[in-house]
Amino acid sequence: SGGSRLREGHPASERSLAEDGGWLGPGRQARAMVEPMQMSEKARQFVDKLHPELRGDVGLLLVVVGGLLAFWFLSYEVSMLKRPHERRCLPQFLVAMMSSVLLGFGGFLLLVWAGLYV
């Protein structure tokens, strides 16, 4: 008689979402939805050089530094709109390259730390 009743034969009326793995109740663990990807041998050699407990911290540090460099690059580009004659190509290229490398390695280490690469 309540407005929240489910129709007869509806899948949720047969079993609760917690039993189905759709909701996480107290003390329940999430099921892995994504299979971990296999690393290449060179990537494994690189990751094995870093202590497993530090992978998340180093990854986050690299992402933050790479993001700061990317932000600096963007602000430099916007400020040079007023003074295009002062632009220098080499510093722009170096900052963009360093930002890209740091963001790439940091993202990779965060994915390894999260368990998406094994």
Side-chain angles (χ1 to χ4, degrees):
S1 62
S4 64
R5 290 181 48 126
L6 296 172
R7 295 182 310 219
E8 198 76 25
H10 191 273
S13 65
E14 305 288 326
R15 60 182 180 256
S16 73
L17 288 173
E19 292 171 353
D20 204 21
W23 294 95
L24 298 177
R28 293 190 186 262
Q29 293 181 354
R31 294 182 186 172
M33 295 181 168
V34 178
E35 291 292 321
M37 295 178 61
Q38 298 295 319
M39 277 189 277
S40 69
E41 189 60 35
K42 291 208 181 251
R44 185 171 308 282
Q45 289 173 357
F46 170 73
V47 169
D48 287 342
K49 292 178 183 178
L50 190 60
H51 194 275
E53 292 179 4
L54 294 176
R55 290 177 185 156
D57 296 334
V58 172
L60 188 61
L61 177 69
L62 292 176
V63 166
V64 167
V65 172
L68 288 173
L69 282 174
F71 178 73
W72 182 80
F73 176 79
L74 182 64
S75 65
Y76 178 81
E77 286 294 317
V78 170
S79 70
M80 284 296 120
L81 289 174
K82 297 176 186 173
R83 317 183 296 264
H85 59 279
E86 294 180 18
R87 280 192 178 174
R88 301 287 179 250
C89 189
L90 186 62
Q92 292 176 344
F93 175 74
L94 292 176
V95 169
M97 186 179 67
M98 284 303 300
S99 174
S100 175
V101 167
L102 291 174
L103 287 171
F105 278 116
F108 173 70
L109 287 175
L110 287 176
L111 289 173
V112 169
W113 172 73
L116 294 177
Y117 282 104
V118 289

